[in-house]
Amino acid sequence: MTAAAWTRKDLLGIAELSVDEIELLLSTAESFAEVASRPVKKVPTLRGKSVVNLFLEPSTRTRVSFEMAAQRLSADVVNFGSEGSSQSKGETLADTAATIASMSPDFVIVRHAHAGVPAQLARRLRCGVINAGDGAHEHPTQALLDALTIRRHKGRIDGLTVAMVGDITHSRVVRSNIHLLTRLGARVRVAGPRTMVPRGITELGVEVHHAVEPALEGADVVMMLRLQLERQRSVLFPSLGEYSRLFGLDAGRLELASPDAIVLHPGPMNRNVEITSEVADGNRSMILEQVGHGVAVRMAALYLLAGAREARA
Ligand code: NCD
């Protein structure tokens, strides 16, 4: 598939993408990754276009990453947070959407605590909408940057064993990664306390473990997740200390994985809860590289969606 064949105006989730679309996003991101190593990190592709960053949930890396991606493509960016926005004054989503629409942006990047908000906005707005994380639903650009990081180290995704450990129930990162990795032929294991693994998850084609050790055994990629305390409605574990003892990744446990396993974490990390500093800062950790790849992936998404908009106009 070539860029000219891309027809979507929005990027809402990995679930609805074909293997060809995922591959195109990844190969386009590969070519943008090269821009980051140039002395002048800017290309004129989106000159004259505007991007609204609508982040109605906390974020550091994702928001900055989208902002940087848009700027490297020469677009203008406006940031819009929940604090100080009319949403905190009780404005409905429909009114926020109508307000944004009347300013005619080319893209809206949206992060929201409720699943489905990006899709609702996409239906209401003519501009392109990118989901930057909606509730526990999806976070497509995170899964793409994880895949790019894995591919750059392992040369492939097909046939790899990937273990994702932690709060599976509340993780949109896990959901997007499961769709992407299983579609590209990886074997996916999820592990977490029973209270943090949803029952139906096996239907997505993953292996489920309620202890970390069997999930790590021989894994090529180990992805640790943050406890989503802000989404947990009850106490799902006796204490952070106990969680860390049973599910945390330390150097000893990492020995169970393949000798050349890489370690990922979407961030923000809770050091010494889900991962020790020794592992997070160690030579198997690709955590900072993931962040770098985030910019390339978001440039690729903006570039492909912009092409589809132009073809439509
Ligand atoms: C993740 C998110 O917000 O879903 N972070 C991110 O985007 N890098 C994971 C998390 O918050 O734990």
Side-chain angles (χ1 to χ4, degrees), residues 57-59 61-62 111 132-133 135 139 142 171-173 225-228 230-231 265-268 298:
E57 237 197 2
S59 172
R61 78 212 75 223
T62 306
R111 165 166 290 196
H139 191 353
Q142 179 69 44
S171 177
R172 51 196 176 207
V173 174
L225 302 161
R226 184 178 68 86
L227 293 181
Q228 306 275 305
E230 73 278 27
R231 287 182 230 290
H265 191 307
R298 287 157 184 141

Side-chain angles (χ1 to χ4, degrees), residues 41-43 66-77:
K41 299 178 178 48
K42 211 161 174 153
V43 291
F66 268 111
E67 190 171 347
M68 199 166 264
Q71 285 178 357
R72 285 193 181 163
L73 292 169
S74 303
D76 298 309
V77 194

Side-chain angles (χ1 to χ4, degrees), residues 145-183:
L145 74 88
D146 293 335
L148 187 62
T149 309
I150 296 171
R151 240 182 33 179
R152 288 193 129 201
H153 283 275
K154 302 283 170 196
R156 67 193 166 103
I157 297 214
D158 187 33
L160 295 179
T161 299
V162 181
M164 296 191 256
V165 182
D167 183 357
I168 307 300
T169 304
H170 299 99
S171 177
R172 51 196 176 207
V173 174
V174 161
R175 229 151 255 103
S176 291
N177 263 296
I178 290 176
H179 291 307
L180 191 154
L181 294 167
T182 54
R183 211 152 293 176

Side-chain angles (χ1 to χ4, degrees), residues 3-313:
W6 181 276
T7 55
R8 290 180 193 274
K9 97 174 185 30
D10 312 298
L11 178 60
L12 302 174
I14 300 291
E16 59 258 26
L17 299 183
S18 67
V19 170
D20 282 352
E21 286 172 313
I22 294 169
E23 292 284 1
L24 178 61
L25 277 158
L26 292 176
S27 59
T28 309
E30 289 272 4
S31 56
F32 281 123
E34 183 267 321
V35 174
S37 58
R38 294 189 197 161
V40 176
K41 299 178 178 48
K42 211 161 174 153
V43 291
T45 323
L46 292 191
R47 195 157 54 201
K49 307 278 182 209
S50 54
V51 176
V52 174
N53 246 343
L54 181 65
F55 275 62
L56 302 172
E57 237 197 2
S59 172
T60 316
R61 78 212 75 223
T62 306
R63 191 181 54 72
V64 173
S65 175
F66 268 111
E67 190 171 347
M68 199 166 264
Q71 285 178 357
R72 285 193 181 163
L73 292 169
S74 303
D76 298 309
V77 194
V78 179
N79 283 311
F80 196 95
S82 45
E83 275 152 44
S85 81
S86 298
Q87 286 252 319
S88 62
K89 296 184 183 169
E91 184 173 79
T92 64
L93 187 67
D95 284 335
T96 304
T99 306
I100 295 172
S102 60
M103 296 182 228
S104 317
D106 296 284
F107 292 99
V108 175
I109 319 293
V110 58
R111 165 166 290 196
H112 202 283
H114 295 296
V117 166
Q120 265 176 287
L121 283 177
R123 278 194 297 274
R124 286 172 192 272
L125 297 172
R126 286 170 56 98
C127 68
V129 174
I130 301 183
N131 179 5
D134 61 332
H137 176 228
E138 279 233 36
H139 191 353
T141 55
Q142 179 69 44
L144 288 161
L145 74 88
D146 293 335
L148 187 62
T149 309
I150 296 171
R151 240 182 33 179
R152 288 193 129 201
H153 283 275
K154 302 283 170 196
R156 67 193 166 103
I157 297 214
D158 187 33
L160 295 179
T161 299
V162 181
M164 296 191 256
V165 182
D167 183 357
I168 307 300
T169 304
H170 299 99
S171 177
R172 51 196 176 207
V173 174
V174 161
R175 229 151 255 103
S176 291
N177 263 296
I178 290 176
H179 291 307
L180 191 154
L181 294 167
T182 54
R183 211 152 293 176
L184 294 196
R187 178 171 168 206
V188 179
R189 299 173 179 161
V190 298
R194 277 177 203 280
T195 48
M196 294 184 205
V197 181
R199 265 183 209 181
I201 196 103
T202 45
E203 282 159 32
L204 297 180
V206 300
E207 262 175 52
V208 176
H209 297 275
H210 295 296
V212 68
E213 291 82 1
L216 295 181
E217 201 81 54
D220 300 292
V221 178
V222 180
M223 186 184 299
M224 301 308 292
L225 302 161
R226 184 178 68 86
L227 293 181
Q228 306 275 305
L229 296 174
E230 73 278 27
R231 287 182 230 290
Q232 299 178 359
R233 301 232 166 87
S234 55
V235 178
L236 300 181
F237 218 73
S239 72
L240 286 185
E242 178 140 340
Y243 177 81
S244 154
R245 193 170 58 73
L246 291 174
F247 287 94
L249 185 66
D250 60 15
R253 277 196 178 135
L254 186 54
E255 297 269 302
L256 294 168
S258 154
D260 58 356
I262 57 168
V263 176
L264 305 180
H265 191 307
M269 276 188 277
N270 288 126
R271 282 176 183 267
N272 302 320
V273 177
E274 66 266 10
I275 190 165
T276 61
S277 283
E278 187 187 359
V279 175
D281 303 329
N283 60 3
R284 311 271 205 93
S285 166
M286 302 305 152
I287 297 172
L288 292 177
E289 206 177 298
Q290 284 174 275
V291 180
H293 289 154
V295 179
V297 156
R298 287 157 184 141
M299 287 173 82
L302 286 165
Y303 169 80
L304 291 172
L305 299 181
R309 269 173 61 72
E310 227 131 75
R312 211 179 287 243

